[in-house]
Amino acid sequence: MSETELPRLEDCLELYAAAVERYGSEPFTAARAKRELAGTPSQRLLALAVAYGLFEFDGDAYAVRVEPDEPERAWRTNAVDRAERIRTAAVERATQRMGGTDGVRALTHDSKRFASVAVDEPAELEGILDRLEGVPLEEYDGIVLRSPGERANAVQRLADRLCEPSVTDESDLSRPFQKEYTDVVGDDKNELEFRLFLERE
């Protein structure tokens, strides 16, 4: 296999075409696929098809992710979303291996480096300040607050507090923050991660 060859891509494409023909957009289980599709696809082949973005998997059933007659932009969006998930996971895994400080690790966005902090429930300012204590913030462009998507409003309120000059005066923060942008990451709509980036003024 050459460096540019994708493992078993042809088999995955055949499986995709067969699934489109048999199921359309309806979900199907691995057991059903093995009974009904030619070649009795293995769990590994199904997993590879998911990795290529041909199928989605919710933990129980598979489904065609983008149908063949959908516009090119749908395929492009699917590919970009998948690449972003892989990039984010790769960056976070690499920074985890390099170590972190009290639950704080680095996360890169738009070529800038942020101290990434998971926001607990409830979202309390004191907890964030405790985590940032001792973190060399001068080595970062800012911080990014991360939480499940449904807690985005609480994170927004917490970020507003972090941007108040009085918080800087009453804590170890040398300079105040300002909200820059937000992002939502994730494939499953029930498992989205909300991210709010704050840069140092």
Side-chain angles (χ1 to χ4, degrees):
M1 185 171 69
S2 69
E3 291 183 2
T4 57
E5 185 179 346
L6 297 172
R8 300 196 65 185
L9 178 60
E10 285 299 321
D11 293 335
C12 288
L13 294 174
E14 284 295 324
L15 176 58
Y16 169 79
V20 168
E21 181 180 31
R22 180 80 184 195
Y23 308 117
S25 60
E26 296 299 315
F28 59 92
T29 63
R32 188 177 173 193
K34 288 178 183 179
R35 285 196 313 269
E36 299 174 350
L37 298 182
T40 58
S42 66
Q43 204 79 37
R44 172 167 168 70
L45 189 63
L46 286 163
L48 267 176
V50 171
Y52 286 137
L54 298 172
F55 297 146
E56 55 189 9
F57 181 60
D58 65 5
D60 296 312
Y62 298 86
V64 170
R65 188 170 180 84
V66 184
E67 295 192 55
D69 58 353
E70 291 195 49
E72 183 180 345
R73 67 176 178 276
W75 285 92
R76 288 183 180 277
T77 298
N78 180 36
V80 169
D81 288 348
R82 189 171 67 258
E84 178 61 22
R85 291 196 306 275
I86 293 171
R87 184 195 69 80
T88 299
V91 169
E92 291 191 358
R93 182 61 57 87
T95 53
Q96 282 177 1
R97 290 181 69 90
M98 292 187 291
T101 305
D102 193 26
V104 176
R105 61 179 186 267
L107 187 135
T108 304
H109 184 84
D110 286 345
S111 302
K112 294 181 179 180
R113 192 164 175 263
F114 294 84
S116 171
V117 185
V119 178
D120 296 326
E121 177 67 34
E124 295 181 342
L125 178 64
E126 292 74 16
I128 299 301
L129 292 176
D130 287 344
R131 288 191 180 188
L132 292 175
E133 188 175 349
V135 175
L137 291 176
E138 65 277 2
E139 298 178 7
Y140 300 90
D141 294 291
I143 64 173
V144 53
L145 304 177
R146 301 170 20 252
S147 78
E150 65 270 14
R151 299 202 334 242
N153 288 338
V155 174
Q156 289 277 12
R157 290 191 294 271
L158 179 61
D160 289 338
R161 294 280 314 281
L162 273 170
C163 294
E164 294 175 1
S166 59
V167 170
T168 306
D169 297 337
E170 297 168 6
S171 69
D172 293 334
L173 301 177
S174 58
R175 300 201 323 250
F177 292 104
Q178 58 184 11
K179 292 198 293 187
E180 289 297 326
Y181 35 78
T182 61
D183 194 10
V184 177
V185 178
D187 183 33
D188 188 333
K189 66 180 180 180
N190 297 316
E191 297 182 5
L192 296 175
E193 181 179 82
F194 176 72
R195 297 176 176 178
L196 195 155
F197 294 82
L198 301 98
E199 291 192 17
R200 301 170 68 201
E201 292 183 353

